[in-house]
Amino acid sequence: MSAIDQLEKELEDLRSRFSQAFQVLDGFSQLQTHFEQLTQTQQELEQSLSQAKNSLEDASAPSELQEQYTELESQFEAKYAQLQSDILDLRHSFEATTYDLQEQLHHDRNQLKQLEQTASPAPGADTNKLDWLENSMQDLSNLIYADRSALQHLDRRLNHVKRVTDIITIVGASGFFVMTIIMVVTR
């Protein structure tokens, strides 16, 4: 082998090594790009984690939520008890008034009957007055019945509101329980 062949072979070896070196450098360049992407992803994850921590810190603690829920529940119970008391007072007042009106109606009817029995046949004007009084008493009786019906309807509505609030209370407590579990698990 001559010196030129030897030089060509060495040049070919150097070209091959340079080619391999460039491939390795190219691989390092790709690695660097991957590392930059990983660094960016890591920064995004750290930023998201930081935001999540801040959100959790800003959120009310479970004990605060429980206190708010308990306070709202006690306020509702107090208002419900007051409403029940007012309705009970109204019912007693209504029943007392109804009783008084029925007594008055009974008394007026008895007086009418006595007048009819003791009086001679009355002229047309007195008969009209008696008819008017009789109709008025019937209207009063109808009003008493209507008021009783309205009071019963109000009582049914109040019981419905109580059932709905009981359901809301159960749902709220369940939601609070789930929120507490989520907060405990994420910490």
Side-chain angles (χ1 to χ4, degrees):
M1 233 196 236
S2 69
I4 293 180
D5 289 335
Q6 183 69 23
L7 270 176
E8 283 181 5
K9 186 178 177 189
E10 285 180 17
L11 276 175
E12 190 62 38
D13 276 345
L14 282 175
R15 280 188 193 136
S16 173
R17 285 185 186 169
F18 275 124
S19 175
Q20 288 175 352
F22 282 128
Q23 287 177 355
V24 169
L25 284 175
D26 208 25
F28 281 140
S29 173
Q30 289 177 356
L31 276 176
Q32 183 178 0
T33 304
H34 286 301
F35 275 125
E36 287 173 358
Q37 289 173 348
L38 283 174
T39 303
Q40 185 179 359
T41 304
Q42 180 185 4
Q43 288 172 347
E44 290 172 359
L45 285 174
E46 286 175 353
Q47 193 174 27
S48 295
L49 182 62
S50 175
Q51 288 175 350
K53 283 181 181 178
N54 289 339
S55 295
L56 282 176
E57 288 171 1
D58 290 344
S60 297
S63 60
E64 292 175 17
L65 288 175
Q66 179 64 34
E67 289 173 12
Q68 290 173 353
Y69 175 75
T70 304
E71 183 179 332
L72 287 174
E73 188 177 26
S74 65
Q75 287 175 359
F76 171 76
E77 289 296 327
K79 287 181 182 180
Y80 179 76
Q82 179 63 40
L83 188 59
Q84 284 249 213
S85 174
D86 291 347
I87 286 179
L88 189 61
D89 291 344
L90 182 64
R91 176 179 282 155
H92 289 309
S93 173
F94 174 75
E95 287 174 354
T97 304
T98 302
Y99 179 77
D100 290 344
L101 289 173
Q102 285 177 339
E103 286 292 317
Q104 182 66 38
L105 182 62
H106 181 66
H107 178 70
D108 290 347
R109 279 186 181 164
N110 285 338
Q111 283 184 341
L112 273 175
K113 285 181 184 177
Q114 286 177 356
L115 283 174
E116 285 175 0
Q117 289 173 357
T118 58
S120 59
D126 289 339
T127 306
N128 287 340
K129 287 180 184 178
L130 289 176
D131 288 341
W132 177 82
L133 189 56
E134 187 87 21
N135 289 336
S136 296
M137 286 185 213
Q138 185 61 40
D139 289 344
L140 183 60
S141 182
N142 290 340
L143 285 174
I144 290 170
Y145 177 76
D147 285 344
R148 275 193 179 158
S149 296
L151 193 59
Q152 288 171 350
H153 177 72
L154 182 62
D155 200 28
R156 284 192 301 271
R157 295 278 303 187
L158 185 61
N159 286 333
H160 176 73
V161 167
K162 177 64 176 159
R163 283 192 300 270
V164 167
T165 11
D166 288 345
I167 290 170
I168 290 172
T169 301
I170 290 169
V171 169
S174 300
F176 173 73
F177 179 71
V178 169
M179 290 281 297
T180 303
I181 289 175
I182 289 172
M183 290 183 77
V184 167
V185 168
T186 57
R187 287 188 186 219

